[in-house]
Amino acid sequence: MTRPLGASVNDYLSQPSDVGGLALGTTVTSITFLLTILAVVSFLTITRNDEGAPLAAEVTDGSSAA
């Protein structure tokens, strides 16, 4: 899903306005995507919001439940 969505956004940003785009060009669009990716990766690295809660370790008392 991310590949077709990214391609559609790329086309919208880079295509001329007479065909429905924003006419930013490929260079500006590429730089925009790069900065967005760097910002998301930096944010997740600093905050660690992408990590789930640690699983609780099972407590065993040495007896087997049979």
Side-chain angles (χ1 to χ4, degrees):
M1 168 133 173
T2 57
R3 187 174 181 120
L5 180 63
S8 295
V9 172
N10 179 48
D11 288 343
Y12 175 68
L13 294 174
S14 64
Q15 296 301 313
S17 57
D18 59 344
V19 293
L22 293 181
L24 296 178
T26 56
T27 303
V28 173
T29 302
S30 296
I31 291 170
T32 302
F33 278 135
L34 175 65
L35 293 176
T36 301
I37 291 167
L38 288 175
V40 170
V41 169
S42 297
F43 173 77
L44 292 176
T45 300
I46 293 168
T47 64
R48 299 197 181 271
N49 282 344
D50 59 329
E51 294 179 2
L55 297 175
E58 288 187 29
V59 177
T60 58
D61 61 0
S63 63
S64 65

